[in-house]
Amino acid sequence: VEALRRLTGAAASAGLVLRGAFAPVVDDGVPEVRAGMPAGTLALLGFTGREGFPAFAASPEAHDGVAHPLDRWSRRIVEALAAESGGLALFPFAGPPWLPFQRWAMRAEDVRPSPLGLLIHPRWGLWHSYRGSIALAEPYTGPEPARAALGPCDTCARRPCLSACPVGAFTGEGYAVDTCATYLRSPEGADCMERGCLARRACPVSAEHAHGPGQAAFGMRAFLAART
Ligand code: B12
Ligand code: SF4
Ligand code: SF4
């Protein structure tokens, strides 16, 4: 717990929030910290609302013209934090195969799947993400995350997220990625490209934490670049 407290402070000064931590079990698929040394604690780091993105936007990676700036920034920051704490840095974007970050997130804090596939958080709504995690050998002795009986989607009768996409990319069963990407490349897709996914923006939960235009446009360009 002391290691986590130190990690929280160091992460915050670098622009990342400690999202939560838990004691991994075998089914969580957390790699060993070092050969023969299983992880006793997994700590998740990320962005909440509009926080964190300005630290990235002011970084050298954001301006050097090289591909994948946010992933490279995350790698630099999280690897430095892992080295300081004697842990192993793990990343959501290092794959395939992907590390099961959404599963880990549900272990670490009160998030659950929304109909869009993104996890929804009671305070941050759909406006949060994970930039890395650190596996530590020390056993986790902190509390289990508090969990409300119902998540925000359980009491959302109208589900406006499912009807907001102009090309119906969300069916409630899956996300038609190619339909979305084709629309984004057309002139009509400019609103999504500049201000972010309309389906995500249609969610009334924590709308005040929605990404600003810079962060929204950055995320959409990165998404489209990953599809080409
Ligand atoms: C591949 C991928 C994509 C693909 C495909 C996504 C898809 N919907 O099919 C593409 C490139 C299209 C994509 C797009 C986006 N993605 Co993406 N993506 C990933 C990635 C790298 C792997 C996901 C995966 O396949 N994991 C493999 C499975 C097995 O892992 P898992 O955690 O065990 O899976 C659990 C979850 O899937 C969860 N679950 C999720 N949805 C549902 C729904 C139901 C009904 C149930 C029961 C369970 C469930 O249960 C699973 C079992 O535990 C993750 C990062 C990561 N490593 O997880 C990000 C991630 C999921 N993406 C993320 C984001 C933000 C986006 C975008 C908004 C990015 C953007 N700026 O445009 C879009 C929106 C996509 C959308 N609406 O779903 C975030 C989500 C954060 C959050 N709040 O949950 C993640 C976690 C990355 C991050 N750095 O934080 N993504
Ligand atoms: S609009 Fe409703 S169902 Fe959709 S993500 Fe938001 S709370 Fe959940
Ligand atoms: S970005 Fe636009 S086209 Fe793609 S899923 Fe969201 S609303 Fe639909």
Side-chain angles (χ1 to χ4, degrees), residues 129-175:
S129 61
Y130 303 91
R131 297 311 320 159
S133 68
I134 298 180
L136 299 165
E138 291 85 351
Y140 178 69
T141 53
E144 284 277 309
R147 280 180 218 281
L150 296 176
C153 302
D154 297 319
T155 50
C156 175
R158 229 168 33 86
R159 308 210 144 194
C161 59
L162 285 177
S163 52
C165 172
V167 287
F170 294 102
T171 59
E173 261 133 61
Y175 167 38

Side-chain angles (χ1 to χ4, degrees), residues 142-202:
E144 284 277 309
R147 280 180 218 281
L150 296 176
C153 302
D154 297 319
T155 50
C156 175
R158 229 168 33 86
R159 308 210 144 194
C161 59
L162 285 177
S163 52
C165 172
V167 287
F170 294 102
T171 59
E173 261 133 61
Y175 167 38
V177 184
D178 290 334
T179 309
C180 165
T182 303
Y183 179 76
L184 293 178
R185 287 198 192 92
S186 75
E188 292 74 27
D191 184 34
C192 291
M193 283 303 290
E194 282 155 27
R195 302 204 295 141
C197 172
L198 280 162
R200 201 178 184 187
R201 277 153 57 197

